[in-house]
Structure formats: structure tokens, C-alpha cells
Amino acid sequence: MKPEPGPGGPPDVLVVGGGIGGLSSAFALARQGLRVRVLERAKEFGEVGAGLQIAPNCTRILAEYGLLDEAKSLGVLPRNMVMRDALDSRELTRLDLADLERRYGFPYMVIHRSDLHGIFLRACERAGVELLTDRNVTGYENTGEGARVLLADGTAEEAPLVVAADGLHSVARRALVGDDVVSSDYVAYRAAVPIDRVRGNGVAERDVTVYVGPRCHFVQYALRGGEMFNQVAVFESPKALAGEADWGTPDELDAAFEATCDTVRKGIPLMWRDRWWQMLDRDPIDTWVHGRVALLGDAAHPPLQYMAQGAIMAIEDGWVLARHLARRAAAAPAGSAPDWDAALAAYQAVRVEHCRRVQTTARAWGELWHLDGTPRLQRNVLLRARDTYDYSFTEWVYGPTALTPDELPPMFTPIPLSSAAVGDVAEEVGRG
């Protein structure tokens, strides 16, 4: 079935999913003169959640899109990112975020997820993207001239390119790859509350603070110009480890943070208790492009959240795909379509490796944060030894987004826990 033409004719691209990944990629593609139609399953566009951290590799793209000033007006530019031990609250290491902006040319920002989503929704409306809700996509097919999506109501739509940005539980991923999500046995609770409710809790209003503890961590930062305060509590669920179906429950939340410092314990009663997020990812895969259907965002590379790069990777995906389509369009004869297949191959060639790095590093970072016993003490020693202005661990991710494999920067060199000096570890034991 041929798609009904929109205001500008039939679409060049169908984007399945109206989250941050779907809308940001739709906007990126529309900026290149493509006719884009977004199919969202829900009855209206929106995002559920609380805060997001947006690093320079993303604010750089927002600036190019002309959206950074709007994002700044809705978010917060924190002064520092500080990591502390969740048990004794002592500082382990920090990033000076003003210096980080000088180094990378763009700021580190925190923003409410719904605010960033709204920015892209309004940008899509201005760009003429066709935004359709209540469209439940149940299947995908390649055609002779592109790809087709099948909808639950029995209809179908097609276009030269279909972008599946349908999230962690992607229908496209299930149909085209068939793998399962991977449970970390950790769960996240979130809350965004008026800042007056936390001012007596010893919080740092101008910093992003991460308290790392045995099998748990706690994140805090201000939102919406400092009027709200975001908190995230993450812990390993004993019920998940025992194989129980109902895991990550509020009683486990309270037990997980009983031994933490005052600031963390005071924050726990403020967490939303009617919903929680089991922390799931998937193993990295090498193939995101199946004919003219391309996976994007969490459908392609859902990470654990420890690097705060999930939404950013999706935004980068759309930027890279749009740039490669623009290059192929510029090389095509006047009036002809871009080389869709070449653009998709170029997209996959660079994004798969970068996102694999983020996914695997996020898993390792989570393990590092949640250490106990001697490994925790060794970690603390090594983090305290890091210079505030050492960027060797951020160069590979906060720099400009690579368009080709040769632009991918080298990875950092991990420091083994065993390299912590024995005397320093003994001193750390004494502090405890």
C-alpha cells in the first residue's frame, strides 16, 4: 500500500518512534531537505522520566541545530561533576565543568527529559516534519524501492528509508535481530522535586554529584534553572539475584541505602515509589542496517546509564545519518535521490564501533562504582590520585562526533585496581 502523501508529498523517510531519538533524527533529516514522517505509538507525544545529562558531544550538535540557547534556558549548566563515596561522603574525584567547556568548546548541561523532548518536537514542527500519533507499528518489510512498515490496524506505509527508533523493546530489533534484553539485576528510582524540599539535606545545588557505594549509587543535580532537584537511586536487587519476578521494590530501595551517608539517606524518602526502572541493556551487535530499515538509538544500542550517553548516542546517530545522506545527495545528479544504501553503509561503519565502546564501558563503569571491600578501597585510592584536569578518560567520548571510522579517537587505557599502592590502600582502610 502506497503511503498517503503528506503536506509535501509522500515521505522520503519514515521514522518509527517519537521519543528523543526519533524526533532528533527526524529533525536532522528534515534539515537536509528530506520529507520525514514520524509514526508514534502513543496517543500523544511525550517523555516519562526526570533529568538527563548532556555532554559536549551533544551540546555541540544542539548548537549546530540552533537549539542550544533554548536548551540552556530550560536546563542548568552545573559548575562541577563530583564523585563521592556513598558511605562516608568523602570526595573521590571531580571534573571542573567550566574548564571542560573551554576544552571541548561546548557546555556540559543537565535538563529535564521532557524539556529536551519538547525542544525537538517544536523543532520538528517548524521544519515541516509530519508527526502522527496512535500508529502502532507491528512489522517491517523491505520492498524493491525501499521499506514498508505494517501497522496494527492492518494498514501499511512505505518510503525509500525506514528508521526504527522504537526503543529498548524495539519491534524492529526483535524482528530483524531476535536477541533478548540483558538484565543487570540493578534498578533505578527517580524523582524531581522542588529544590526547597532538599535544601536542608546538605546537597550541592550547583554540581552534579554522584555517590558511589557497595552495590548502589545515588545521583543529584538541579534542573529547570535551579528550581527543581533531580535524584536517581540505583541499587542491586536481591530479589532479582534470587530469580523473583517482582524485583526492585521499595522495601529493597530502603534496605540498599541504610548504610550510606546522611545526604544520601535524607534523599531516599523523596524518591518516587510508584514506579521504578529495571536497568536493562543489550549486547552490542554489528549489523544495524537491514536493507532499507536502519536501527537507531536504543533500538540499536541500549546502554546501561552509567555514562549518561544513551540519549546523546541517539541524537548523534541522527546527526551522522543525516550528514551522510546530505553527502550522497550532493553527489547525486540533479533531481535524483541520494544513494540511500551508501549512506546507510557509512552510518553503520562508524556508529557501531563508537556505540559498542559506550555500551561496554558503561557496563565496566557500573562495576567500578559498585565495588565493596578491598576493591572499593583500591578504587578510591586511584580516583583520589586523578588530577581534576586530566581528560584522558573523556577524549574518546566528549570530542566531535566521528563521521568516518578513521575519525574515531583512540580509547583510554584502563588503570587496574591492583596498581593502587599498598600503603595508600592501608591509609584508606584507616579513614574508614
Side-chain angles (χ1 to χ4, degrees):
M1 179 183 295
K2 290 286 187 182
E4 291 297 320
D12 299 307
V13 185
L14 288 170
V15 176
V16 179
I20 288 173
L23 292 183
S24 61
S25 59
F27 176 66
L29 294 163
R31 289 180 77 239
Q32 304 300 338
L34 295 167
R35 294 186 301 274
V36 184
R37 178 179 295 171
V38 176
L39 306 176
E40 165 57 32
R41 180 175 183 171
K43 294 188 181 298
E44 59 183 27
F45 287 96
E47 271 284 357
V48 177
L52 282 175
Q53 300 181 52
I54 304 296
N57 56 315
C58 183
T59 52
R60 177 183 292 107
I61 293 173
L62 293 180
E64 180 181 317
Y65 289 170
L67 302 176
L68 183 56
D69 287 343
E70 183 181 2
K72 285 182 178 179
S73 74
L74 296 172
V76 170
L77 299 181
R79 291 177 177 171
N80 302 283
M81 181 183 295
V82 182
M83 182 171 284
R84 296 181 177 274
D85 189 292
L87 300 186
D88 59 28
S89 83
R90 285 198 295 262
E91 182 174 325
L92 301 177
T93 192
R94 70 170 51 210
L95 285 172
D96 177 334
L97 297 179
D99 190 72
L100 188 87
E101 180 174 356
R102 285 190 290 271
R103 182 173 188 88
Y104 294 109
F106 296 91
Y108 196 106
M109 182 175 65
V110 291
I111 189 169
H112 199 288
R113 179 179 288 272
S114 64
D115 290 340
L116 184 62
H117 183 268
I119 288 170
F120 280 115
L121 182 62
R122 291 186 291 275
C124 283
E125 290 169 345
R126 292 192 300 269
V129 173
E130 192 179 1
L131 300 163
L132 304 180
T133 55
D134 202 17
R135 301 299 202 276
N136 183 9
V137 173
T138 59
Y140 295 78
E141 296 175 350
N142 278 290
T143 67
E145 299 178 349
R148 177 185 298 122
V149 298
L150 310 176
L151 286 89
D153 63 4
T155 63
E157 298 201 21
E158 61 186 70
L161 171 62
V162 171
V163 174
D166 51 347
L168 172 68
H169 299 290
S170 164
V171 171
R173 177 76 174 245
R174 184 168 64 246
L176 300 172
V177 181
D179 61 336
D180 292 326
V181 296
V182 177
S183 174
S184 68
D185 299 325
Y186 277 74
V187 62
Y189 279 70
R190 296 184 169 92
V193 300
I195 202 158
D196 289 343
R197 294 188 64 188
V198 299
R199 284 210 160 114
N201 293 357
V203 303
E205 295 184 26
R206 299 300 303 273
D207 294 341
V208 174
T209 307
V210 183
Y211 292 87
V212 294
R215 295 170 296 284
C216 69
H217 77 267
F218 196 65
V219 182
Q220 296 181 314
Y221 52 84
L223 286 173
R224 289 186 171 155
E227 296 178 359
M228 297 188 73
F229 201 71
N230 187 66
Q231 299 190 136
V232 185
V234 174
F235 62 91
E236 186 178 51
S237 164
K239 292 179 182 177
L241 295 173
E244 296 183 27
D246 182 23
W247 59 275
T249 48
D251 58 306
E252 290 192 300
L253 167 70
D254 294 330
F257 290 91
E258 280 181 344
T260 57
C261 63
D262 286 348
T263 299
V264 174
R265 285 203 314 275
K266 288 177 180 177
I268 295 301
L270 299 176
M271 308 308 295
W272 298 328
R273 287 171 178 256
D274 59 341
R275 52 187 156 166
W276 51 89
W277 288 260
Q278 295 174 352
M279 294 189 68
L280 313 171
D281 68 353
R282 291 181 187 266
D283 291 330
I285 54 172
D286 293 332
T287 303
W288 299 0
V289 175
H290 300 260
R292 292 286 182 82
V293 179
L295 302 177
L296 183 143
D298 279 358
H301 48 73
L304 295 177
Q305 292 91 326
Y306 302 110
M307 287 191 63
Q309 285 281 314
I312 294 174
M313 286 194 291
I315 292 168
E316 287 183 310
D317 286 349
W319 181 82
V320 170
L321 179 57
R323 288 290 296 269
H324 281 298
L325 281 167
R327 287 184 176 183
R328 296 313 186 281
S336 61
D339 186 335
W340 301 100
D341 298 313
L344 289 170
Y347 161 72
Q348 180 170 269
V350 66
R351 293 304 295 162
V352 164
E353 174 59 15
H354 172 78
C355 296
R356 181 195 65 77
R357 292 175 174 186
V358 173
Q359 286 182 280
T360 56
T361 302
R363 287 177 172 180
W365 201 222
E367 292 174 4
L368 182 72
W369 285 13
H370 299 142
L371 293 171
D372 198 0
T374 299
R376 164 181 166 255
L377 303 176
Q378 293 172 313
R379 175 204 66 198
N380 288 0
V381 166
L382 294 175
L383 287 174
R384 288 187 210 279
R386 176 192 163 269
D387 186 274
T388 297
Y389 303 100
D390 174 9
Y391 294 109
S392 58
F393 294 98
T394 59
E395 293 287 83
W396 70 278
V397 66
Y398 289 170
T401 303
L403 280 168
T404 57
D406 62 291
E407 292 179 357
L408 287 168
M411 279 292 282
F412 64 90
T413 302
I415 300 174
L417 291 174
S418 60
S419 67
V422 174
D424 290 338
V425 175
E427 182 181 343
E428 189 73 26
V429 173
R431 286 178 174 176

